[in-house]
Amino acid sequence: MKKIFKLLPVSVFDFPCLELWLGQMANEGLFPVKIRSPLAVFTRTGTPGTRFRVEPCGTEVYDGVGPDQDKRDLYRSFGWELAFVFHNDGNVLALFYTATPSAPELYTDLSAQAATLEPMLDHFRRRLRQMLYLAPLLILLFPHSRLGSRIRIFSSRFLDIHDIYEKATLPFFIAAIVLFYIGISELLRDYTALSQVQKQMAQGVQPTPRGPSRRYLLFSLFNLLVCLVFLVLLILSGLSLLFSL
C-alpha cells in the first residue's frame, strides 16, 4: 500500500493540535500509520469524521509496546481502537481513534488527565538541564580556547597530528554546536507545548487546539535543512582531511 509522508505542522506534545490535524487528514482520506517527529506516515484508508486521541503511556503498566490489553479492551468497549504506539524523545505515546460519532470521550476529568502529564514534564526538565550542562563544555572545547590548546599540545607529544588537529577539531566543534542548537530548540518547543496544555487542564479548562502552525512547519524545515547542509559540509571536510594526509 502506498505510503504518504508529511511534515508534522504541530508538536506531537501539543495533543489537542495533533489530534485536530490528524482528524483533518482523515477527512482528506488519510489514516496515520506511523509518527516519528518531524514526519507522519499515512495511507489512503482514512474515514471522514474519525477522531483521534493521544495518550501518554509513561504512567501506565505496559509491556513496552503500549497500553496493556485490559485498557485496550476497555477502550474498545467504548468504540475506540489503538492505531499504533510511537516513541518521541524517550516518551511512549499511544494513538487511539474512533470513526463512531456516538463514541464517548475517553477523558472527562481534566485535572486527572493533567496529572498524567507531570512525569513527561519532569522528563523534559531533566533533559533541558542536561543540555544546559553541556554548554560550558562546548565553550571549553573550542579549538582556540585554553583547554583546546592544551589538548593539541598534549596530543602532539605522542603523534605528529598538529595539522590534523587544527583541520579536524573546528568542523567537529561546529557540529557539536549545530546539534546542541537543534536539540535544545526542539526540547524547548515541545516542553512549551506540553506545559501549556497541562496548565490549562490543571485549571479545568479544555485546551483549544490552534490547528496546524505554518511557523512550526517552517521551523522543522529549517532544522532539517541545517542538518542536511551541515552533514554534506562535514563529509566534504572529512574527505579533504583524508586526502591531505
Side-chain angles (χ1 to χ4, degrees):
M1 186 175 294
K2 184 179 179 180
K3 301 291 178 63
I4 299 167
F5 297 82
K6 288 183 177 288
L7 275 175
L8 287 166
V10 297
S11 168
V12 296
F13 294 100
D14 191 344
F15 300 145
C17 288
L18 178 62
E19 293 162 358
L20 174 65
W21 180 67
L22 292 175
Q24 292 172 347
M25 293 298 100
N27 290 337
E28 296 177 13
L30 300 179
F31 185 84
V33 293
K34 185 177 181 181
I35 292 177
R36 186 171 182 83
S37 185
L39 293 174
V41 185
F42 297 86
T43 58
R44 293 191 180 279
T45 57
T47 302
T50 300
R51 287 179 286 159
F52 295 90
R53 295 294 178 264
V54 180
E55 179 169 294
C57 299
T59 57
E60 299 293 333
V61 178
Y62 64 97
D63 56 9
V65 294
D68 59 28
Q69 191 60 48
D70 288 341
K71 172 156 283 192
R72 297 186 195 188
D73 292 339
L74 176 63
Y75 286 0
R76 185 177 294 113
S77 69
F78 295 147
W80 293 81
E81 296 285 346
L82 178 67
F84 57 88
V85 174
F86 61 104
H87 299 249
N88 201 86
D89 194 40
N91 294 288
V92 182
L93 304 170
L95 180 66
F96 289 91
Y97 72 97
T98 182
T100 305
S102 60
E105 282 295 330
L106 291 177
Y107 319 114
T108 54
D109 189 338
L110 293 176
S111 298
Q113 189 180 357
T116 66
L117 302 182
E118 279 296 342
M120 297 178 66
L121 288 171
D122 289 338
H123 170 80
F124 276 115
R125 294 185 189 109
R126 288 194 301 270
R127 289 289 308 277
L128 285 169
R129 285 196 296 268
Q130 292 167 358
M131 293 292 290
L132 291 175
Y133 293 155
L134 289 175
L137 180 61
L138 290 175
I139 297 173
L140 290 173
L141 290 178
F142 183 72
H144 300 293
S145 68
R146 181 176 297 180
L147 180 58
S149 299
R150 288 181 178 178
I151 293 174
R152 181 178 64 252
I153 294 171
F154 178 78
S155 302
S156 299
R157 292 179 181 178
F158 300 95
L159 295 171
D160 186 18
I161 60 171
H162 185 276
D163 291 338
I164 298 175
Y165 180 88
E166 290 290 344
K167 293 177 180 177
T169 306
L170 186 58
F172 282 102
F173 172 76
I174 296 174
I177 292 294
V178 171
L179 292 175
F180 178 81
Y181 154 73
I182 292 175
I184 200 165
S185 62
E186 292 185 349
L187 275 174
L188 284 171
R189 176 195 62 189
D190 290 337
Y191 173 74
T192 300
L194 182 64
S195 61
Q196 289 176 348
V197 170
Q198 192 272 345
K199 185 177 181 179
Q200 289 179 299
M201 289 181 176
Q203 295 173 347
V205 178
Q206 182 67 47
T208 302
R210 298 181 301 275
S213 168
R214 188 172 185 177
R215 181 179 178 181
Y216 183 94
L217 191 59
L218 290 174
F219 179 85
S220 297
L221 279 172
F222 176 76
N223 278 1
L224 279 176
L225 288 175
V226 167
C227 288
L228 291 174
V229 170
F230 188 76
L231 180 61
V232 171
L233 292 176
L234 193 61
I235 292 173
L236 292 176
S237 176
L239 292 175
S240 175
L241 178 63
L242 182 64
F243 287 121
S244 66
L245 296 179

